């Protein structure tokens, strides 16, 4: 799975604008806002565009590989099989096995065709690799639809049939109906070869199967399950006459099989991959509304320009809170907006996977986030290949450990430099390190001395050749004398020709002095001996800016008889349980400052009761009623649509819960018990138990997915209907959780923005939240009912209407647009020195991503304008104050009066607010 920064931009302002018209659900209208984008050159002619969007009803994460298909063989799209005859494997494994030919390397890959996932695992559409037919399409929805690439590299969409014959002794020829097809034809002859892409052959029927080698029968008998050996063809048949003809064959008989792809028009391609569902045809996006498979889901698609030279391979993550996926109609609209003249839908869902290279790397990296939480084995895909060089040394890709180009004074950051040539393949060079601030050793370990920006440069002597292991990458647009080098995330051209100097550059930020330390996560639960998990220690400065603290700057204290802790090589740690059951704590201390943080650890499990149903009468809902439990009181739920039992209040689930257990009294009906939960931001999650085909009581275990967004709450119990009407009895709902104990409390000292009433009164002017508007010396009182943005004494106040959730009919989208407008206005106003977003306290209305975007956008505003920023939450349960990346955050409680002393034009280095909390 690939990690991307949370999109830039967010929240509100002023009057909440009306929700935009949204004709096509799931992102199809193009009304959304792009919130983050990164562009990375992978090779000359290949780049990766990764971006996030907020649509009216969902967030989206999209990755697009853009390739300029070169008739001279620079960039090629090739069929990616699994290799090794094992059936489906992960895309990463398939790409590692792919052999692109001498002088070429693999640069990127996406998953391919739909496949027979519940049986053979073989692809359902046609496939051609290196000009050779690999498999024909099975009968079904795909209809032979495919994307193909000709000898000159250009692509097109087409339909591929099968043109083949079977010539039996006597010379009579019969049509060939299937060639390595996942589903054998209902009538006629079919053959299977060593190119078969499934894990086992399909059920070929009771008739005989004939083995052929060099045009002669070598075996007869029942159809085997294993794929034919190389050089052997397995001939099968369905139909009375066809089966009889095969039964009459004997070893030594002459039988000839021919097979070739048959395009509906034009020449046969040299590479082809099947798909299902044309998205764009002749420049027009197609409408799939009401058709099968048009629900929002993870998606993979291939698009082509009118001349077939520009290829787009697109993945859209789905079934996740951070990305809701697209319908086919919306996917077609997206492909059309991206410039596709024609586009085809490939397999999606848990199969959606995209891999790409980094300059100088020797393996592909997972770029998207598969909905299964890991790569699903697939039978084929498309792979992009490019020349491997060799070429002159062109530059260095400079990276910080864990991807964090930040550190603290007195602490370190480990940097790596990967050399690459002019086609971004891995090169051989010894880096020499330089910096304009602090110190850096020959091992790339940087030690900061004082806050501020630092420039890290890597140089090497002239070289004329480069090593090129398979699987490296490059940057488009480079010429023989130049290569793109990362400079603060932007391309920078540096000399790179033979004999010329080359360099790599990284801008690193040294934050303010370390003010505190926290463990992320704050609790870890492990199953038992050998189970492990990772954590990092994150530091923060006085402005709330954060960066990981590396292992070399820390000492760890923990019980070494129960746990093993090791560095993970990425700036963090891995902890492994050594015993079956334990609970304890790890203490981390920063050597240079003495700052500490604690991490709660647990191994094994304990059962935490959630509901014993003593209050069964208080559970409400249609089809639910108190009943005899196991033993004592229990709950009965009818197995029918709409029936459910709702507790008097949602039941909180312990944070690290791995599974829920429920006693179920079955009636043999096959009804399936279900526990319905709400995750963070109200995201629903349903855990379904097995079909209750038993009678009497049985305890069932319902695993909680690792991707579930904490915290969780049980909201309902229900039962899905089985083979016949039923009624399930339920009792004793428990959570299986590790015995970690609570996370360590936050021991940070009160933020300096918190002061006394006298200190607030001493500022040039004052405003308040809550309390009697007529009481005190406040010039204005914020009530949370304000609707219009206004400016007072150098501060632009931006009220936020939090009446609707982020994804409720475009509420978040409208807020984001309004916020952007307010920030732009404040940035231009010479009399405005600070901006304060004001929002009423409404838990779960702004989802996690919208909240993060608000903070990120305000931090960006602060950095780029030099003006101050704050987020003021009114009517919160309790007072709190702090800061995030220099943006002040204050929660004013619903009771009492919170007084703010303000000076928007305070001297640099001084806070512009002093906040006096209400008296207890």
């Amino acid at each position: 799975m690939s990690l991307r920064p949370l999109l830039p931009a967010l929240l509100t302002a002023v009057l909440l604008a009306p929700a935009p018209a949204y004709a096509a659900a799931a992102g199809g209208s193009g009304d959304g806002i792009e919130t983050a984008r990164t562009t990375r050159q992978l090779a000359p002619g290949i780049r990766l565009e990764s971006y996030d969007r907020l649509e009216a009803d969902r967030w989206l994460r999209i990755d697009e590989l853009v390739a300029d298909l070169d008739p001279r063989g620079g960039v090629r799209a090739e069929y990616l099989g699994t290799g090794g005859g094992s059936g489906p494997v992960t895309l990463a494994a398939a790409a590692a096995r792919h052999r692109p030919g001498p002088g070429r390397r693999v640069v990127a890959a996406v998953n391919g065709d739909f496949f027979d996932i519940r049986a053979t695992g073989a692809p359902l559409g046609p496939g051609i690799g290196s000009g050779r037919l690999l498999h024909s399409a099975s009968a079904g929805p795909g209809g032979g639809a495919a994307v193909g690439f000709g000898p000159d590299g250009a692509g097109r969409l087409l339909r591929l049939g099968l043109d083949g014959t079977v010539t039996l002794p006597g010379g009579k020829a019969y049509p060939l109906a299937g060639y390595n097809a996942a589903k054998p034809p209902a009538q006629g002859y079919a053959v299977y070869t060593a190119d078969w892409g499934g894990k086992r052959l399909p059920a070929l029927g009771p008739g005989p199967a004939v083995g052929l080698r060099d045009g002669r029968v070598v075996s007869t008998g029942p159809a085997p399950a294993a794929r034919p050996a190389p050089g052997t063809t397995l001939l099968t048949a369905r139909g009375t006459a066809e089966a009889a003809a095969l039964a009459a064959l004997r070893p030594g008989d002459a039988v000839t099989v021919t097979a070739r792809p048959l395009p509906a028009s034009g020449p046969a391609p040299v590479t082809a991959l099947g798909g299902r569902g044309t998205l764009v045809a002749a420049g027009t996006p197609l409408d799939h509304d009401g058709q099968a498979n048009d629900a929002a889901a993870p998606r993979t698609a291939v698009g082509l320009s009118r001349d077939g030279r520009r290829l787009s391979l697109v993945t859209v993550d789905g079934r996740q809170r951070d990305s809701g996926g697209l319908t086919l109609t919306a996917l077609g609209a997206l492909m059309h907006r991206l410039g596709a003249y024609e586009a085809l839908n490939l397999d999606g869902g848990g199969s959606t996977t995209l891999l790409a290279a980094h300059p100088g790397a020797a393996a592909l990296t997972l770029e998207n986030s598969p909905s299964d939480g890991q790569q699903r084995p697939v039978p084929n895909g498309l792979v992009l290949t490019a020349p491997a060089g060799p070429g002159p040394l062109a530059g260095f890709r400079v990276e910080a450990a864990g991807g964090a180009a930040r550190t603290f004074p007195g602490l370190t950051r480990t940097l790596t430099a990967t050399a690459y040539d002019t086609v971004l393949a891995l090169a051989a060079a010894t880096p020499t390190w330089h910096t304009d601030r602090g110190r850096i050793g020959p091992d790339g370990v940087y030690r900061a001395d004082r806050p501020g920006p630092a420039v890290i440069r890597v140089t090497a002597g002239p070289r004329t050749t480069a090593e090129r292991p398979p699987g490296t990458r490059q940057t488009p647009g480079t010429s023989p004398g130049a290569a793109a080098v990362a400079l603060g995330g932007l391309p920078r051209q540096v000399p790179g020709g033979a004999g010329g100097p080359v360099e790599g550059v990284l801008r690193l930020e040294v934050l303010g002095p370390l003010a505190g330390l926290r463990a992320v996560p704050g609790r870890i639960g492990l199953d038992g001996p050998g189970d492990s998990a990772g954590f990092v220690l994150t530091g923060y400065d006085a402005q709330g800016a954060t960066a990981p603290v590396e292992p070399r700057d820390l000492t760890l204290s923990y019980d070494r008889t129960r746990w093993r802790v090791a560095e993970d090589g990425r700036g963090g740690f891995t902890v492994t349980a050594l015993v079956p059951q334990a609970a304890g704590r790890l203490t981390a201390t920063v050597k240079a400052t003495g700052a500490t943080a604690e991490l709660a650890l647990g191994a094994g499990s304990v059962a935490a009761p959630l509901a014993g149903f003593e209050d069964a009468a208080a559970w409400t809902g249609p089809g639910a009623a108190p009943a005899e439990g196991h033993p004592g009181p229990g709950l009965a739920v009818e197995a029918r649509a709409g029936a459910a039992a709702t507790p008097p209040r949602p039941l909180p689930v312990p944070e690290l819960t791995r599974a829920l257990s429920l006693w179920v009294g079955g009636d043999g009906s096959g009804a399936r018990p279900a526990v319905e939960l709400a995750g963070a931001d109200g995201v629903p999650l349903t855990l379904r138990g097995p079909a209750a085909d038993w009678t009497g009581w049985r305890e069932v275990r319902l695993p909680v997915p690792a991707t579930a967004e904490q915290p969780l709450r049980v909201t309902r119990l229900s039962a899905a209907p089985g083979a016949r009407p039923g009624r399930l009895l339920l009792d004793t709902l428990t959570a299986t959780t590790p015995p970690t104990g609570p996370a360590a409390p936050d021991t940070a000292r009160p933020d300096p923005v918190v002061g006394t009433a006298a200190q607030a009164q001493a500022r040039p002017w004052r405003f308040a939240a809550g309390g009697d508007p007529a009481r005190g010396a406040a010039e204005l009182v914020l009530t949370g009912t304000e609707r219009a943005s206004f400016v007072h004494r150098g501060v632009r106040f931006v009220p936020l209407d939090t009446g609707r959730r982020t994804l409720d009919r475009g509420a978040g989208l409208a807020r984001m647009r309004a916020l952007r407008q307010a920030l732009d206005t404040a940035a231009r106003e010479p009399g405005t020195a600070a901006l304060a977003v004001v929002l009423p306290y409404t838990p779960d209305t702004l989802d996690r991503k919208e909240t993060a975007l608000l903070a990120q956008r305000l931090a960006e505003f602060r950095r780029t304008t030099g003006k101050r920023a704050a987020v003021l939450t009114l009517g919160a349960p309790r007072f709190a104050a702090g800061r995030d990346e220099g943006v002040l955050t204050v929660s004013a409680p619903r009771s009492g009066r919170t007084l703010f002393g303000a000076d928007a034009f305070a001297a640099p280095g001084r806070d512009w607010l002093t906040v006096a909390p209400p008296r207890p």
Side-chain angles (χ1 to χ4, degrees):
M1 165 173 71
S2 104
L3 297 176
R4 187 180 303 150
L6 281 174
L7 321 75
L10 171 56
L11 236 36
T12 170
V14 197
L15 292 169
L16 183 62
Y22 199 66
S29 70
D31 263 353
I33 295 175
E34 186 175 298
T35 57
R37 177 180 286 265
T38 59
T39 300
R40 198 169 77 232
Q41 204 72 36
L42 307 182
I46 306 176
R47 73 178 187 273
L48 175 64
E49 302 277 353
S50 300
Y51 46 98
D52 299 319
R53 289 178 62 85
L54 172 60
E55 302 286 348
D57 65 344
R58 66 196 58 225
W59 298 93
L60 289 175
R61 280 194 308 245
I62 302 170
D63 291 286
E64 179 192 10
L65 284 166
V66 182
D68 297 321
L69 301 175
D70 189 346
R72 296 163 298 181
V75 176
R76 295 177 187 159
E78 301 175 10
Y79 182 96
L80 178 63
T82 59
S86 60
V89 298
T90 65
L91 193 69
R97 295 175 182 176
H98 187 71
R99 297 293 175 260
R104 299 190 66 79
R105 60 196 173 93
V106 172
V107 176
V110 298
N111 68 289
D113 198 1
F114 291 78
F115 61 102
D116 188 17
I117 191 170
R118 292 181 177 83
T120 65
L124 293 169
I128 301 174
S130 302
R132 190 175 82 252
L133 177 65
L134 300 176
H135 48 87
S136 64
S138 297
V147 57
F149 302 90
D152 65 348
R156 77 184 201 269
L157 299 191
L158 71 162
R159 292 200 173 268
L160 277 175
L162 174 63
D163 180 19
T165 60
V166 176
T167 304
L168 298 179
K172 188 169 183 180
Y174 299 89
L176 183 65
Y179 188 88
N180 285 329
K183 297 183 178 180
Q187 183 81 23
Y189 295 97
V191 296
Y192 293 87
T193 72
D195 287 329
W196 165 249
K199 55 191 174 185
R200 60 177 179 273
L201 290 178
L204 299 173
V210 173
L212 307 174
R213 183 180 288 270
D214 298 326
R216 296 283 175 177
V217 175
V218 295
S219 64
T220 61
R227 78 181 59 234
T232 299
T233 298
L234 185 70
L235 176 62
T236 68
R238 286 189 173 181
T240 303
E242 292 85 349
L246 288 195
L249 294 175
R250 296 292 180 267
D253 286 347
V255 177
T256 303
V257 176
T258 65
R260 66 183 182 90
L262 181 64
S265 63
V270 296
T271 295
L273 179 79
R276 182 184 301 174
T278 301
L279 303 170
V280 181
T284 301
L286 302 185
D287 186 353
H288 292 264
D289 288 351
Q291 300 178 17
N293 195 30
D294 196 39
R299 298 290 183 184
T300 305
V302 53
L304 291 159
S305 60
R306 188 165 191 166
D307 64 0
R309 292 293 177 196
R310 184 179 183 273
L311 170 69
S312 291
L313 299 173
V314 174
T315 61
V316 182
D317 290 339
R319 297 173 186 162
Q320 302 168 56
R321 186 174 63 175
D322 287 350
S323 189
L326 289 177
T327 65
L328 286 178
T329 300
L331 182 63
L334 171 66
M335 298 301 291
H336 182 254
R337 290 198 302 274
L338 295 176
Y341 183 74
E342 53 184 5
L344 179 67
N345 179 49
L346 301 179
D347 191 15
S351 300
T352 289
T353 311
L354 184 145
L355 307 174
H358 292 254
L364 302 184
T365 299
L366 177 64
E367 296 294 336
N368 76 310
S369 179
S371 62
D372 289 352
Q374 58 188 356
Q375 293 186 50
R376 174 187 288 178
V378 295
N380 61 11
L382 272 179
V383 64
L384 299 180
T385 69
L393 179 67
F396 291 89
R397 174 167 53 90
V398 187
E399 295 177 301
R406 282 179 158 188
T407 189
F408 299 94
L411 303 188
T412 61
R413 181 64 69 237
T414 301
L415 308 176
T416 58
T418 304
Y420 55 86
D421 66 10
T422 50
V423 294
L424 299 190
L426 182 61
T430 301
T432 301
W433 297 88
H434 315 270
T435 183
D436 64 344
R437 175 178 298 212
R439 304 190 311 275
I440 191 166
D443 56 356
V445 176
Y446 173 79
R447 184 172 294 277
D449 57 359
R450 65 188 189 279
V455 177
I456 311 296
R457 297 184 184 277
V458 179
T459 61
R463 298 183 68 90
T464 58
T465 60
E467 296 179 0
R468 45 174 180 76
T472 48
R473 18 260 88 134
Q474 66 187 99
T475 326
T478 54
S479 60
V485 179
L487 175 59
L490 299 175
R492 178 176 184 268
Q493 295 296 320
V494 297
V502 296
E503 68 176 14
V505 182
L506 176 71
R507 293 197 183 279
L508 190 146
E509 182 183 6
V510 182
L511 303 175
L514 184 73
L517 186 71
R518 64 174 65 96
V520 180
R523 301 168 64 211
I524 287 179
L526 305 172
D527 284 334
D531 191 23
S532 61
F535 67 94
V536 295
L537 277 305
T538 298
Y540 54 91
D541 66 9
Q543 291 298 320
T546 62
V549 177
E550 290 199 12
R552 64 165 46 86
D553 294 321
L554 296 161
T555 58
L556 304 182
S557 175
Y558 58 93
D559 188 340
R560 286 169 168 76
T561 67
R562 296 181 171 190
W563 323 98
R564 181 174 63 250
V565 181
E567 298 179 20
D568 63 9
R570 301 183 300 276
F573 298 91
T574 300
V575 56
T576 303
L578 301 178
V579 294
Q581 191 88 8
R585 288 187 178 272
L586 176 149
T587 301
T589 304
V590 180
K591 299 174 185 176
T593 68
T596 63
E598 285 192 344
L599 170 66
L601 299 173
S605 62
V606 294
L610 301 183
F613 299 105
E614 291 81 3
D615 61 347
W619 287 62
T620 59
E628 186 65 27
H630 179 70
L635 192 66
V637 178
E638 293 181 13
R640 59 177 174 84
T646 301
R649 65 192 60 82
L651 306 174
V653 178
E655 183 181 354
L656 299 181
T657 294
R658 302 190 193 101
L660 300 182
S661 295
L662 182 67
W663 279 91
V664 178
D667 60 359
S669 67
R672 296 182 63 190
V675 179
E676 300 177 32
L677 306 103
D681 303 332
V683 176
L685 172 67
T686 300
L687 308 181
R688 301 192 185 279
D693 52 6
W694 66 86
T695 58
W697 287 96
R698 181 179 297 182
E699 188 176 30
V700 300
R701 187 174 187 272
L702 311 174
V704 175
T707 55
E709 297 286 354
Q710 304 288 343
L712 298 171
R713 296 167 295 164
V714 175
T715 56
R716 297 200 317 171
L717 302 179
S718 60
R724 58 181 176 80
R727 180 173 179 266
L728 297 183
L729 303 179
L730 309 175
D731 197 4
T732 315
L733 178 65
T734 59
T736 301
T737 181
T740 63
D746 188 355
T747 57
R749 283 176 282 183
D751 191 275
V753 75
V754 179
T756 65
Q759 290 170 325
Q761 292 281 0
R763 303 304 288 260
W765 70 280
R766 289 148 301 286
F767 64 95
D772 183 357
R775 178 176 170 272
E779 297 182 18
L780 65 93
V781 176
L782 300 175
T783 64
T785 60
E786 296 83 5
R787 285 293 177 265
S789 178
F790 62 93
V791 177
H792 186 85
R793 302 281 294 268
V795 181
R796 175 166 286 280
F797 289 88
V798 183
L800 165 64
D801 184 341
T802 57
R804 290 187 289 137
R805 290 175 178 264
T806 299
L807 302 179
D808 179 8
R809 295 170 293 160
L813 190 60
R815 288 194 289 260
M816 179 177 282
R817 287 174 170 153
L819 176 66
R820 179 69 274 167
Q821 182 179 2
L823 293 176
D824 290 345
T825 299
R828 293 191 303 266
E829 292 173 329
T832 297
L835 179 143
V837 171
V838 182
L839 55 146
Y841 175 76
T842 50
D844 298 333
T845 297
L846 276 62
D847 69 16
R848 175 183 58 87
K849 294 191 72 171
E850 187 174 0
T851 301
L853 287 177
L854 170 61
Q856 186 174 350
R857 181 54 75 195
L858 291 178
E860 181 183 298
F861 169 82
R862 178 178 175 271
R863 286 193 303 269
T864 57
T865 66
K867 300 183 179 186
R868 280 69 182 270
V871 178
L872 311 179
T873 302
L874 309 184
R878 61 190 63 85
F879 176 83
R883 63 192 71 206
D884 180 6
E885 300 292 335
V887 177
L888 299 176
T889 60
V890 180
S891 294
R894 62 177 66 97
S895 60
R897 178 183 178 88
T898 304
L899 184 65
F900 296 80
D903 181 3
F905 303 96
R910 289 195 61 200
D911 283 332
W912 66 282
L913 286 180
T914 298
V915 185
R919 289 192 296 268

